[in-house]
Amino acid sequence: MIATEKLLLISCLFQGIICNTFKAFMPQRIKALSGSCVLIPCTFTIEESYENDMVEPARGIWRTSQYSGNVFDSSRHYSENTLKAELLGNVTNKNCTTIIHHLKKNYSKSYVFRAEPLKYTFTQSVLLEVADYPDRPAISPSSAVKEGAPTSLACTAPAPCPREPPALVWSDTLDGSVEIEQVEQQDGTKAVSSVLMFTTSHLHHNKDITCTAQYPVGSETKSAEEVSTLHVLYSPKNTLVIINPSGEIHEGDHVTLSCSSNANPAVSRYTWFKVKGDNITEKSAEQDLTFTDINPSDSGLYYCEARNEHGAENSTAMQLNVASPATPCIYVVMGTAAVQMLATILVVVFIMKRYVFES
C-alpha cells in the first residue's frame, strides 16, 4: 500500500501536478464531558476528477464504521439522528466540522465521515471518549529559573466544547499578572491557556502552585487540577554565625563558630574573617571555625562569607569574648579571711554561753 502511494506521488510529480486523494483530516482522539458538547474539526480532500460532483444539495454523514448505518445525517431533522449534532462546515467546500450536543457515555465510539453526493466514506476516523470528569490541565515550564528574572507559567486545558470553555484558576498569582487566551492545537481542537507572569524570588523556591480547570456543565461544575513545584536558583541568603557552646567562654574551652546560610544550589565555599581594628584577616575556608583550646588572644569580631555560583553574602560580625580564669592566690586570700571570720564567730558564741551559765 505504501509503495503504491509512493508510485502515485512520483507519477503526479513527473506530470507537474499536485495529487489530490480522498482523505479526511480530523483529530485521532477527542475527550469530552458527559452532558456537555464537543466540536470535531474536520476537512477533506478528493481526487481532482470528482470535483464536478461537489454540488448542492450536498450533505454530511457520520457513521461508526465505513459500512455501518448512519448515526448522523445533516439532511435529517435534529431529533431524527442518533447523534444530536449539527454540521457547521459546508460539504461543497470540503469542510465537515461538526458539533455534537448533550453528550452521553454511550457516544464513546470511533466515527468516520461520508460525503454526499460523492457517496464516499473516508477511512480516517476520530475516537470520541465521553467521560464524567475532565483530564488534569498541563503546567509548563517546570525547569529552574534564576531569582529576579521575569518568568511565566502556562496552564493549558482542552476546551472540547467551544460554548462552555473551562475557567482556569491559580492558587497564588505570586504578585504577578494573568492573561487568558484561547489556542488552537495542532490537530485543530481548541484549548484555553492561562499565562501567569511574575518575578522570581528565593521565597518562591519549593513552593507548590495549583492550576484548577473548572468546566461548566449545565448547572454544575466539573473540575480538575494540576500542581507544579517552583524551583528558583538564588545566591546565599540569611547568612549568620552560630557560636557553640553559647554563653560565657573561658580560656581552654572547645569552641566552634558555624556559618549558616540558605542558597540554591547549596553554598560551595565558606570563608571566615577576623576583624581587629582596621585589619581583616582570613582565618579559614571551612563552614566551621573550631578552637580546640581557646585563649584570650582569640577574642575579637568574626564574620563569615557564604558563596555559590550566583553570588555571595556576608554574615553580621559576631563578638567573641574569652574570659581569663581568676588568679589562684585570690582564692587563697578569700579562703583565709573566711576561716578567720568563722573562728571569731565561734569564740564570741562560746563567751556568751559561758557568761549565761555563770550567771
Side-chain angles (χ1 to χ4, degrees), residues 31-105:
K31 185 173 182 179
L33 294 173
S34 57
S36 186
C37 74
V38 64
L39 178 72
I40 303 176
C42 178
T43 59
F44 60 89
T45 58
I46 62 175
E47 292 181 3
E48 189 174 358
S49 58
Y50 288 85
E51 288 288 346
N52 293 333
D53 294 335
M54 296 297 294
V55 295
E56 297 290 356
R59 59 194 178 113
I61 294 169
W62 287 96
R63 295 177 171 179
T64 55
S65 69
Q66 282 186 290
Y67 307 106
S68 65
N70 302 340
V71 293
F72 170 80
D73 186 333
S74 62
S75 66
R76 293 181 181 179
H77 188 268
Y78 181 85
S79 60
E80 296 178 322
N81 287 312
T82 302
L83 285 183
K84 305 308 178 184
E86 179 183 357
L87 182 66
L88 301 181
N90 188 312
V91 176
T92 57
N93 293 332
K94 306 181 186 66
N95 190 323
C96 44
T97 299
T98 303
I99 187 169
I100 306 175
H101 306 283
H102 309 298
L103 291 172
K104 301 177 182 179
K105 292 291 288 293

Side-chain angles (χ1 to χ4, degrees), residues 90-145:
N90 188 312
V91 176
T92 57
N93 293 332
K94 306 181 186 66
N95 190 323
C96 44
T97 299
T98 303
I99 187 169
I100 306 175
H101 306 283
H102 309 298
L103 291 172
K104 301 177 182 179
K105 292 291 288 293
N106 61 7
Y107 285 3
S108 297
K109 295 182 176 73
S110 289
Y111 296 93
V112 295
F113 184 76
R114 178 178 175 83
E116 295 283 0
L118 286 176
K119 297 183 179 180
Y120 185 85
T121 303
F122 296 89
T123 58
Q124 292 76 26
S125 64
V126 55
L127 173 62
L128 175 61
E129 296 181 30
V130 182
D132 289 329
Y133 299 98
D135 287 338
R136 293 183 300 176
I139 299 179
S140 63
S142 58
S143 57
V145 292

Side-chain angles (χ1 to χ4, degrees), residues 248-269:
E248 189 174 359
I249 299 173
H250 299 93
E251 184 177 353
D253 285 349
H254 184 101
V255 179
T256 299
L257 305 184
S258 295
C259 187
S260 174
S261 188
N262 174 30
N264 186 40
V267 174
S268 57
R269 177 179 172 84

